[in-house]
Structures are given as C-alpha cells and as structure tokens.
Amino acid sequence: MKYALTLSFLLLIQLVRAQSADEKAVLDAEKQRFDAQVSKNYAVLEKVLSNDLVYTHSHGGSDTKQSYIQSIRDGKSKYDAIDMEEHKVRIYGNTAVINGVCMVKAVSNGETINTHLRYTDVYVRNGKQWQMVAWQSLKLPN
C-alpha cells in the first residue's frame, strides 16, 4: 500500500512539473508574439501563429494569419507597445487557453489607440512549438 501511495505521489509531482513547463512554454510563446508584433519580426509571427488562425479584434473585425501579418507589414496595424498586466494559462493536453489583460499602444488605420484589453487566446502544440489558433479581445472601460 505504501508503495502504491509513494508511486502515485511521484507521478503527481511529475504531472505538476510537466504542466508548469507547458504553462511556461505557452507564456513564452505569448511574450514572443507580443514582442514580434511591436518589432515587426515576421519570422517569429510565422512561427507562433497557426496557419488556421482566427484573430478577432476588439472592434469586431477578424483576420486570418495572412491578413493579420499583412496588416502589420502595410502599417495598418502598428504596435508601439504591448504590456501584459494579467495572465492565466490553463493546459488541456495539447491545447492551452490564456485569459489575460494587456495594455496596447498602437496606431490602427491612422487612429492612435491606448487601451486596456481583456483577451482570451488559444494555443495548440504543433510538435514542440505552441501556436496561437484563436484570439478574441474586448476593450475595458477607461
């Protein structure tokens, strides 16, 4: 009986460590994505955004991976800073959900934006890489 309890405890510790490692990896991908949006690092965006991405903006419009990256290339979306203020990562096998709040300083279609967003995004593990498949955000009141 002691052996079974000890083995169960050790397996539980390994599960917690694995989840923590996955949570860190997803959060790292999220931070890389935010940094890449600001620095216009298209190679990172190509890596962390899934080909079937659905990106729903706080104004209600949506983009695919290709149209979103193109909007940054064209200057329609110009990010000056994205600061994470809150985040919670939950792992469900090869899927991760992030709920968070961030401050976005940007220019979109010529309009300066300084707003807090509450967001939910979803990442899926593709091999060893976590890729964002969905983003949805809403503006918080000032």
Side-chain angles (χ1 to χ4, degrees):
M1 181 67 171
K2 285 183 183 178
Y3 177 75
L5 287 174
T6 302
L7 183 60
S8 296
F9 181 70
L10 291 174
L11 289 172
L12 180 62
I13 289 172
Q14 290 300 326
L15 178 63
V16 169
R17 282 187 187 152
Q19 285 181 333
S20 296
D22 283 341
E23 288 171 6
K24 182 183 179 320
V26 170
L27 196 55
D28 286 347
E30 180 86 326
K31 289 176 182 176
Q32 288 175 17
R33 181 180 67 82
F34 283 153
D35 290 345
Q37 287 173 231
V38 173
S39 67
K40 297 182 179 185
N41 187 333
Y42 304 114
V44 169
L45 290 173
E46 288 287 344
K47 184 174 92 170
V48 300
L49 300 178
S50 175
N51 288 335
D52 61 349
L53 172 69
V54 176
Y55 194 104
T56 306
H57 298 270
S58 62
H59 57 69
S62 67
D63 275 302
T64 64
K65 174 182 179 175
Q66 294 75 24
S67 65
Y68 183 66
I69 291 173
Q70 192 61 47
S71 74
I72 296 171
R73 277 194 171 105
D74 294 344
K76 291 178 184 173
S77 297
K78 181 185 177 299
Y79 295 94
D80 296 323
I82 303 172
D83 299 314
M84 283 172 121
E85 296 178 350
E86 297 174 24
H87 60 271
K88 178 171 176 56
V89 179
R90 292 171 291 145
I91 305 292
Y92 303 98
N94 287 328
T95 304
V97 177
I98 301 177
N99 297 103
V101 174
C102 63
M103 171 58 119
V104 176
K105 297 177 182 173
V107 176
S108 179
N109 295 319
E111 179 184 344
T112 300
I113 300 169
N114 292 312
T115 191
H116 277 97
L117 297 177
R118 180 169 307 279
Y119 66 90
T120 300
D121 58 355
V122 179
Y123 280 77
V124 173
R125 187 183 357 239
N126 186 359
K128 293 185 178 184
Q129 175 67 47
W130 286 95
Q131 293 184 310
M132 189 174 79
V133 296
W135 164 273
Q136 187 163 3
S137 61
L138 60 92
K139 293 180 185 178
L140 294 175
N142 291 331

